[in-house]
Amino acid sequence: MANKLKLGIPKGSLQDATLDLFKRAGWEIYASGRSYFPTINDPEIECMLVRAQEMARYVETGALDAGLTGNDWILENNSDVERVTSLTYSKASRQKVKWVLAVPENSTFQKPEDLAGKVIATELVEYTKRYFAEKNIPVKVEFSWGATEVKPPMLCDAIVEVTETGSSLRANRLRIIETLMESETQLIANKASYTDEWKKKKIGNLSMMLNGAIAALSQVGLMLNVPKANLDAVLNVLPALSSPTVSHLRDSDWVAVNTILEEAVVREVIPRLKAAGGSGIVEYPLSKVVL
């Protein structure tokens, strides 16, 4: 096939969450065994598993047309790529992750300036070097191959580490003294590929459907029947994503209302809808919400 999009899928901690997101967006990606080339139910896409830390480099050089990686690794590599869209999901939550400067909880360090002349361990080496250089704080930044949280105070004085909930830092008796950046997954594209009309459209479709799948994660659909006399009272209860759909029923005294709500508020809204005159209230899950 002449038209083929080379797409990088992040290998490692983000892999399962990414495959699940693609599944909800409509693409089945099958990664099995030790193969770095998973299959996908789309003949126009060719997938490759690549570590998120390296993804931006391969997209920048054109080895891949597009890929998913964190904003942190784009900045770490100073990669010149097209940022198509942000996709806020991660291995443990639907929140942005943070890269933080952390020290032993019983240390005297209170701010970055206190670490002048000290050793910082991190996987985010180049960004951390630039961060301290911009503040004119002389430190030694060492690359950490993993288990970074256990290194202070014996192997280093402080760490720069990524966290979603902070639980691992607390478990290792570390205290955050500064947040260096927040990061989330980005769909990125090679700049030359993005000038190709077909590839740009294909990447745009990916962006739309992936964002739609993410938007649906926190939303639910709600439908109910309402006497026309109570319609205004019911509509005043609904904090709708957009104007609810109101449809006529066979019984001319009744209408059907269909809307989308944040899942977090449904437990409060349904009793109020019932009290306002709604009946036959049905909550249902959504797979995609495309605005």
Side-chain angles (χ1 to χ4, degrees):
M1 179 175 291
N3 288 326
K4 183 82 76 169
L5 186 77
K6 294 177 292 183
L7 178 67
I9 302 295
K11 180 175 176 60
S13 62
L14 202 58
Q15 180 176 325
D16 289 345
T18 301
L19 297 185
D20 180 65
L21 175 61
F22 269 81
K23 182 176 182 178
R24 286 184 283 105
W27 285 274
E28 291 275 2
I29 300 176
Y30 304 94
S32 60
R34 298 184 177 181
S35 174
Y36 282 77
F37 297 93
T39 59
I40 184 172
N41 63 341
D42 187 333
E44 296 178 339
I45 298 177
E46 180 180 284
C47 293
M48 182 176 183
L49 291 173
V50 177
R51 289 190 65 83
Q53 294 90 329
E54 303 175 297
M55 185 75 73
R57 295 208 314 265
Y58 294 128
V59 171
E60 181 180 17
T61 62
L64 296 168
D65 295 309
L68 289 90
T69 188
N71 182 55
D72 43 8
W73 300 116
I74 301 171
L75 296 175
E76 170 72 1
N77 292 291
N78 262 334
S79 298
D80 185 20
V81 293
E82 187 73 33
R83 295 171 182 263
V84 180
T85 190
S86 297
L87 301 166
T88 307
Y89 74 99
S90 60
K91 64 180 180 180
S93 68
R94 297 196 295 272
Q95 302 176 14
K96 294 181 180 180
V97 299
K98 295 179 180 180
W99 282 90
V100 298
L101 178 62
V103 298
E105 62 181 16
N106 60 355
S107 73
T108 59
F109 306 126
Q110 299 297 325
K111 56 186 184 298
E113 288 76 9
D114 296 338
L115 292 165
K118 304 300 182 180
V119 177
I120 315 293
T122 185
E123 190 177 355
L124 199 73
V125 172
E126 297 305 318
Y127 184 89
T128 301
K129 286 180 178 178
R130 295 196 301 270
Y131 172 83
F132 279 97
E134 289 171 2
K135 289 180 171 289
N136 295 313
I137 304 171
V139 295
K140 181 180 180 182
V141 180
E142 294 182 343
F143 178 74
S144 174
W145 290 93
T148 308
E149 298 100 324
V150 305
K151 294 183 176 179
M154 293 183 62
L155 303 179
C156 63
D157 299 291
I159 64 171
V160 170
E161 180 66 334
V162 66
T163 182
E164 291 186 43
T165 64
S167 59
S168 181
L169 295 173
R170 291 190 295 271
N172 287 280
R173 297 185 177 182
L174 296 175
R175 170 171 48 87
I176 297 172
I177 63 173
E178 185 90 333
T179 297
L180 275 66
M181 76 158 93
E182 288 189 332
S183 181
E184 59 189 333
T185 305
Q186 304 271 314
L187 174 61
I188 59 174
N190 172 267
K191 289 198 167 181
S193 297
Y194 210 59
T195 63
D196 178 277
E197 183 178 348
W198 182 86
K199 289 182 179 179
K200 183 174 183 179
K201 182 178 180 180
K202 188 70 175 180
I203 294 168
N205 289 342
L206 277 172
S207 172
M208 178 175 65
M209 298 305 287
L210 292 172
N211 274 299
I214 289 175
L217 286 171
S218 61
Q219 311 276 349
V220 296
L222 204 67
M223 56 184 179
L224 63 151
N225 295 331
V226 184
K228 283 185 177 179
N230 300 100
L231 181 59
D232 286 342
V234 164
L235 294 180
N236 286 335
V237 171
L238 292 174
L241 179 67
S242 57
S243 296
T245 299
V246 179
S247 306
H248 294 287
L249 298 177
R250 176 173 294 181
D251 186 334
S252 60
D253 292 329
W254 287 73
V255 294
V257 175
N258 204 327
T259 191
I260 295 174
L261 301 176
E262 288 286 338
E263 187 175 17
V265 306
V266 169
R267 66 184 184 187
E268 299 174 359
V269 169
I270 287 181
R272 293 173 60 199
L273 290 173
K274 184 68 175 176
S279 65
I281 302 171
V282 177
E283 176 188 341
Y284 55 92
L286 303 172
S287 59
K288 284 174 278 294
V289 176
V290 178
L291 302 178

